[in-house]
Amino acid sequence: MASISSGFETSGDWQTKVANKRAKCLAAIPKAWLLPQSLSDTVPEQSEISKVKLDLTALELPRRSGILTDKELDITESYTVSALLENLASGKLTSFEVTLAFSKRAAIAQQVTNCLTETFFEEAQQRARYLDYLREKGELAGPLHGLPISLKDTYQVEGTEATIGAVAYIGRTSTENSALVNTLLGLGAVLYVKTNLSQVLMSADSDNNIFGRVLNPLNTMLTAGGSSGGDGALIAFRGSPLSVATDIAGSIRIPSLCCGTYGFKPSAGRVPYGKQVMPLNPGITVLLPSAGPIANDINALQIFMKTVIDAAPYRNDSTVFNLPWRNVGGSLGPKLRLALLAEDPLFPYHPPVKESLDEAVRRLQQHGHEVVFLDAAECHVAAATQVAMGLLSLDSTPMEIIASGGEPAVPSVKNLGRQSQEIDWNFVPITKDMDGLKKLGVLQNKRAELAEAWRKLWVKYEVDAVIGPTAQSTAVEHDCFSLPAYSTFLNVLNYPVCVIPFGKASSELEFAPKRGQGTCAYKRDVVEGAPCSIQVFTGGMRDEECLAIAGVVDQCLKKRVELKL
């Protein structure tokens, strides 16, 4: 069975550190929450499970294991975040029983998908009991009173580790909380687990030498995405109602695509980012990372954003702008004017992506919304991706961290540089004789050109938002995800983006990328049934409009209009 302790040799110094860390993590799961042998034997070891097409959610392991009661199954499967908060506030549900339910389910998810790093179940239960005590006295700790929330491993929680998948960081215990952690605790949330991720956040495949590979619970042959793959897998397995991740090139949106969840990348500076463990030189942070939510319903994204920003986090974290949350619901017209992002020739769509976009456009038009079709030349997707790759390559810190731990880079990290070198870039005039400072100047100038080009585009078309694909593919086989052009270019522009799951991969068409294109091979039988999604984005700092418009789009996509003949 796939688990945090399987398939690892303990020879050598770094291997010994990893083996000890894995054993410690396994011991933190209560024995009563371990899957019985009869069920464990139905799930192959991780080295084998990643080679077979297995839908873990269809196995109903939480129900068949007997670990969760019927009420706990109902809590984890039947409630939206809004409904949970309403029932927690009214006392119909206690924080202790909700926390216990999601803790049990997260523990099961970990045993079959490797989606977790740190767990602090006992501390979470103690906090839940305290919150229930407050509720009995007629008090609420805040608008997130009693809600369990999971965190990406980059967030510091005092007394736990934040290794970010780097052997060099094993044993470094956090002595303080990240700024967002303090904000969430102040709002009444319960924190109970941290989630697995890419090795030092450096690929779209969540795999590292410490905790192993995150498996996609919908199809174990496919990647869960990265770098926040543990968040996506945990949410898809319903082991968390809401998870907080990070995004510097698509790390919220790619796992949302791969695992069939909703996700939101805010504009950088809207959500607290301070005191996270990041594999970057803080003096040359060239792309601003964002913190944002992943959930199973779109309203949860709005609840998270509004609640966090209403808490005035700028008072405690200098990474946040003093920008109150705006109510924009009434400012949207009855019909939206949307633009469709064009397919970039360097990053062609796999057939399911193209077909899901075509169907999304049809449904939006059937509901009376206008769709403007953009041209690839004015979207600059490849150009922005080349700028992003150039900027990120200026910082050698991630590879230095890996090397300092004595560990090797995992395959997906090794593939990143190779993929970039194989693409026929033509936008940034970088020469070999340029030093780092000259390269930075060229790249920043090109980024400014792109920002100006998109400013003109917004003015020219006067659209409310733009829709497009989250990536050029669905989830693909492990270590095969292409450079995430359709997510990365929006980090260059620092635009807010919402991912909406829509459709499943099902196509009779064939596809093969040409030499010089940044798209992996399309294996129709392997990806059959994989989630598809679309992105909705607006201009910078229009996070409120982005989520409001995404809500309208989501409703349209859920309702097929039958045309009368």
Side-chain angles (χ1 to χ4, degrees):
M1 182 187 99
S3 74
I4 57 177
S5 62
S6 65
F8 201 87
E9 296 180 1
T10 59
S11 61
D13 181 57
W14 73 268
Q15 290 98 328
T16 301
K17 289 181 180 178
V18 167
N20 292 337
K21 176 65 177 176
R22 290 190 177 194
K24 182 179 179 181
C25 290
L26 181 60
I29 298 178
K31 291 184 178 180
W33 298 356
L34 297 178
L35 288 171
Q37 193 67 42
S38 59
L39 289 183
S40 298
D41 291 342
T42 66
V43 182
E45 292 288 339
Q46 187 175 89
S47 60
E48 298 300 323
I49 194 173
S50 60
K51 301 175 184 177
V52 297
K53 193 173 181 179
L54 179 63
D55 183 352
L56 293 171
T57 63
L59 296 180
E60 295 192 332
L61 297 175
R63 185 174 304 277
R64 293 168 60 202
S65 68
I67 294 171
L68 280 76
T69 66
D70 287 343
K71 185 173 184 180
E72 289 168 344
L73 289 167
D74 185 58
I75 288 171
T76 56
E77 295 173 358
S78 303
Y79 288 80
T80 63
V81 167
S82 176
L84 282 172
L85 289 172
E86 290 175 6
N87 282 273
L88 286 164
S90 68
K92 291 182 180 179
L93 290 175
T94 67
S95 179
F96 180 80
E97 62 187 349
V98 173
T99 298
L100 185 62
F102 280 104
S103 294
K104 288 181 177 181
R105 196 166 187 121
I108 296 173
Q110 163 62 357
Q111 292 170 68
V112 294
T113 69
N114 279 349
C115 60
L116 303 182
T117 57
E118 310 298 315
T119 59
F120 24 98
F121 297 127
E122 185 175 340
E123 293 86 347
Q125 291 174 42
Q126 291 175 357
R127 175 167 170 78
R129 288 190 179 96
Y130 168 72
L131 293 172
D132 288 336
Y133 166 73
L134 290 182
R135 175 65 188 77
E136 290 173 359
K137 295 198 305 177
E139 302 175 18
L140 294 179
L144 298 181
H145 180 96
L147 182 72
I149 293 180
S150 50
L151 301 165
K152 188 175 180 176
D153 193 66
T154 55
Y155 292 92
Q156 293 197 79
V157 177
E158 185 178 359
T160 70
E161 295 182 14
T163 62
I164 63 170
V167 171
Y169 288 175
I170 292 176
R172 299 196 333 174
T173 302
S174 296
T175 58
E176 60 181 346
N177 292 332
S178 295
L180 183 56
V181 169
N182 284 333
T183 298
L184 293 174
L185 291 173
L187 291 167
V190 178
L191 308 179
Y192 64 118
V193 295
K194 295 174 68 178
T195 58
N196 201 359
L197 69 182
S198 308
Q199 186 181 36
V200 295
L201 318 185
M202 280 296 289
S203 82
D205 201 297
S206 291
D207 179 27
N208 60 76
N209 290 318
I210 303 177
F211 303 103
R213 184 187 300 282
V214 179
L215 298 173
N216 191 323
L218 304 178
N219 180 348
T220 54
M221 204 170 185
L222 304 181
T223 178
S227 62
S228 312
D231 301 85
L234 182 63
I235 291 291
F237 202 85
R238 303 198 72 90
S240 171
L242 179 67
S243 202
V244 186
T246 65
D247 192 309
I248 198 171
S251 291
I252 287 172
R253 291 161 287 155
I254 297 168
S256 296
L257 160 67
C258 293
C259 298
T261 71
Y262 293 87
F264 184 64
K265 182 205 83 69
S267 303
R270 296 303 304 270
V271 175
Y273 208 91
K275 297 182 180 178
Q276 288 200 61
V277 176
M278 297 294 292
L280 304 171
N281 183 329
I284 53 174
T285 302
V286 287
L287 288 182
L288 294 176
S290 299
I294 296 177
N296 279 315
D297 69 280
I298 197 167
N299 289 335
L301 311 180
Q302 169 103 7
I303 290 171
F304 172 86
M305 290 297 298
K306 183 179 187 307
T307 303
V308 168
I309 292 176
D310 281 350
Y314 68 90
R315 294 177 178 271
N316 302 303
D317 184 15
S318 61
T319 70
V320 188
F321 296 122
N322 181 6
L323 292 176
W325 185 259
R326 297 173 289 112
N327 183 3
V328 300
S331 64
L332 297 178
K335 300 300 178 182
L336 297 172
R337 179 175 164 85
L338 303 168
L340 176 67
L341 191 76
E343 179 181 20
D344 192 285
L346 279 186
F347 297 94
Y349 302 156
H350 284 192
V353 174
K354 181 175 176 57
E355 291 171 357
S356 65
L357 278 174
D358 289 345
E359 178 62 20
V361 169
R362 281 194 293 270
R363 294 197 187 187
L364 288 166
Q365 290 174 329
Q366 288 171 357
H367 282 85
H369 302 295
E370 184 180 0
V371 179
V372 176
F373 296 84
L374 302 180
D375 184 80
E378 61 189 346
C379 294
H380 306 289
V381 171
T385 305
Q386 186 183 10
V387 169
M389 294 300 103
L391 289 170
L392 292 171
S393 70
L394 294 175
D395 189 354
S396 61
T397 304
M399 300 311 294
E400 290 172 1
I401 294 172
I402 293 173
S404 68
E407 61 174 316
V410 297
S412 59
V413 171
K414 292 179 182 178
N415 291 342
L416 188 66
R418 176 187 55 77
Q419 289 181 33
S420 183
Q421 293 172 2
E422 292 176 350
I423 297 174
D424 290 335
W425 305 111
N426 58 13
F427 181 66
V428 181
I430 294 291
T431 60
K432 293 182 179 180
D433 62 332
M434 285 184 181
D435 61 23
L437 190 58
K438 287 183 179 179
K439 288 181 181 178
L440 176 61
V442 171
L443 290 163
Q444 294 288 40
N445 282 331
K446 287 298 183 181
R447 176 157 64 172
E449 287 181 23
L450 294 167
E452 176 64 8
W454 268 90
R455 180 196 66 78
K456 292 178 179 178
L457 189 149
W458 290 111
V459 173
K460 176 181 178 180
Y461 292 108
E462 297 184 334
V463 293
D464 297 301
V466 180
I467 62 172
T470 308
Q472 55 268 45
S473 68
T474 63
V476 293
E477 290 178 288
H478 302 288
D479 302 326
C480 294
F481 207 91
S482 306
L483 280 181
Y486 294 97
S487 60
T488 301
F489 93 99
L490 294 168
N491 295 88
V492 173
L493 296 168
N494 192 20
Y495 285 175
V497 198
C498 185
V499 171
I500 300 172
F502 177 63
K504 302 287 185 183
S506 178
S507 178
E508 296 300 319
L509 299 177
E510 298 293 340
F511 168 86
K514 299 176 182 178
R515 184 179 179 85
Q517 291 181 324
T519 299
C520 63
Y522 172 57
K523 298 184 179 181
R524 186 177 64 191
D525 294 341
V526 175
V527 303
E528 178 78 19
C532 298
S533 72
I534 66 167
Q535 290 187 126
V536 178
F537 64 90
T538 56
M541 297 297 160
R542 298 185 69 226
D543 299 64
E544 294 88 344
E545 287 85 353
C546 185
L547 277 174
I549 292 167
V552 175
V553 171
D554 184 52
Q555 287 300 312
C556 291
L557 298 184
K558 288 177 178 177
K559 298 177 181 178
R560 182 190 297 271
V561 175
E562 299 296 337
L563 297 178
K564 295 182 180 180
L565 300 178

